Amino acid sequence: MSKRASVLFVCLGNICRSPTAEGVFRKLVEDAGLQEQVYIDSCGTSNWHIGKGPDPRSQEAASNRGIDIGGLKARQFSEKDLDTFDYVVVMDRQNLADVKDIWRQNGGTEPTLFLEYGSTGLAEVPDPYFGGDEGFEHVLDLIEEAGQGLLRNIQERMA
Ligand code: 4NP
């Protein structure tokens, strides 16, 4: 890999988990001084929320940790993303199945579960949409932990 990397975070709606991951990871990358080298985006497998901003509960939970995701707008995953992103990182097994179906036909970057970059032993960032506020805190905890592992992986591949 070159001295550049691109990362796409994928969930179902692109209004809770993946925009949170985009915001958290952007902060980790900026703190490491790599913002010119690492391009970050997020999207959803569904078309349900295209053009909408993140869920207010996600915005508030992120804001409480100093991260502003208010300007993000949801978009849908496209098969072209597999040709343009170096990392396609999904939140749960259903996202993985959905993106892998497209990957088998399209080729390109093989999608991976985000939490494989972490060390909690968990596989999925659970969908917080239908639950309470504590779900959004849990999402942030998991994303912060795995994001550090993903950043280390990128730094190693760039070295
Ligand atoms: P996300 O959460 O995939 O983390 O953005 C969801 C957002 C919306 C819905 C489901 C999950 N929904 O059913 O509308």
Side-chain angles (χ1 to χ4, degrees), residues 11-19 48-49 95 127-130:
C11 64
L12 175 61
N14 195 209
I15 57 168
C16 297
R17 292 164 293 175
S18 62
W48 301 338
H49 301 282
N95 307 149
D127 182 350
Y129 189 69
F130 294 106

Side-chain angles (χ1 to χ4, degrees), residues 92-109:
D92 64 29
R93 292 188 183 92
Q94 185 61 54
N95 307 149
L96 187 65
D98 291 341
V99 177
K100 269 209 172 165
D101 277 348
I102 297 167
W103 171 74
R104 280 190 204 95
Q105 296 171 32
N106 180 87
T109 299

Side-chain angles (χ1 to χ4, degrees), residues 43-70:
C43 67
T45 55
S46 77
N47 62 4
W48 301 338
H49 301 282
I50 292 172
K52 291 196 201 137
D55 187 298
R57 296 167 295 175
S58 293
Q59 291 193 43
E60 175 159 12
S63 172
N64 288 340
R65 299 194 192 192
I67 294 162
D68 179 6
I69 58 170

Side-chain angles (χ1 to χ4, degrees), residues 3-6 25-40 151 154-155 158:
K3 296 284 181 191
R4 289 180 176 274
S6 54
F25 195 63
R26 183 161 285 130
K27 172 116 182 355
L28 288 173
V29 164
E30 282 171 8
D31 289 348
L34 293 172
Q35 63 277 4
E36 302 299 326
Q37 281 120 289
V38 182
Y39 178 78
I40 306 162
L151 180 58
I154 291 173
Q155 286 171 316
M158 279 180 168

